[in-house]
Amino acid sequence: LTNTLNDQRVQILTNTLTNNSQQNQCKILEVIIEDTTDDSVYKLLKLPFLHNIQECYCRLERISVDLCFVILQLLNLPIIKVLHLSAKYLNLIDDSTNSILHTDKYSELETCIAMNSTLLEMKLQCIFNDNPIITITSVINGVTRNKTITSFSLEVYCDSPP
């Protein structure tokens, strides 16, 4: 399944896949999501059909999104083996005003990666308008502790100083 999605197309895809989720046995998802709202992305990531996905190739462009949440949702797919996530020109949504929730979220990301027993390959390519250091640190720490990941690639470019 490959498509470039904006807000309207995300809604159509969400409705279609929700209505046909029993028939859908997709194992590979290739999707480009651009110029849409964070709410549309979150709805898409919670669709039941994603539970069959073993390989996910996802590109997010020019949206405001909580990258930590997106990565967590993709890593929580029950049989995910390959995750390639490209995030370009994101405006990161962060709830750092609530320091307890903020810390828990990044600890959860690190632990989720560390404990994931199905993930074999992870690739992140990121170009940010904002500083992603906490998310990236959590990813690196999680991968370091993971016993099953055999391939990890990380490219990060940031327009703002770290």
Side-chain angles (χ1 to χ4, degrees), residues 6-7 10 33-43 62-65 93:
N6 59 23
D7 203 32
V10 167
I33 303 172
E34 60 185 16
D35 299 319
T36 189
T37 64
D38 59 325
D39 190 49
S40 293
V41 174
Y42 301 153
K43 284 179 185 173
R62 296 181 306 275
I63 58 176
S64 295
V65 69
I93 296 174

Side-chain angles (χ1 to χ4, degrees), residues 80-143:
I80 189 77
K81 294 179 181 177
V82 175
L83 174 59
H84 289 201
L85 178 61
S86 173
K88 297 182 180 183
Y89 305 110
L90 300 184
N91 291 310
L92 300 179
I93 296 174
D94 190 11
D95 49 19
S96 57
T97 53
N98 181 340
S99 61
I100 294 172
L101 181 61
H102 180 72
T103 303
D104 288 350
K105 177 174 70 171
Y106 295 105
S107 294
E108 181 183 356
L109 176 59
E110 182 178 330
T111 301
C112 182
I113 295 170
M115 304 307 279
N116 190 312
S117 61
T118 61
L119 190 64
L120 302 173
E121 181 179 319
M122 185 173 187
K123 180 177 183 178
L124 294 177
Q125 295 176 308
C126 305
I127 300 174
F128 294 103
N129 295 333
D130 297 318
N131 189 344
I133 194 71
I134 299 172
T135 301
I136 300 304
T137 301
S138 297
V139 167
I140 292 170
N141 290 340
V143 168

Side-chain angles (χ1 to χ4, degrees), residues 17-29:
L17 291 174
T18 300
N19 294 336
N20 296 316
S21 63
Q22 295 299 327
Q23 302 167 1
N24 192 325
Q25 295 299 315
C26 291
K27 294 190 183 335
I28 300 173
L29 175 68

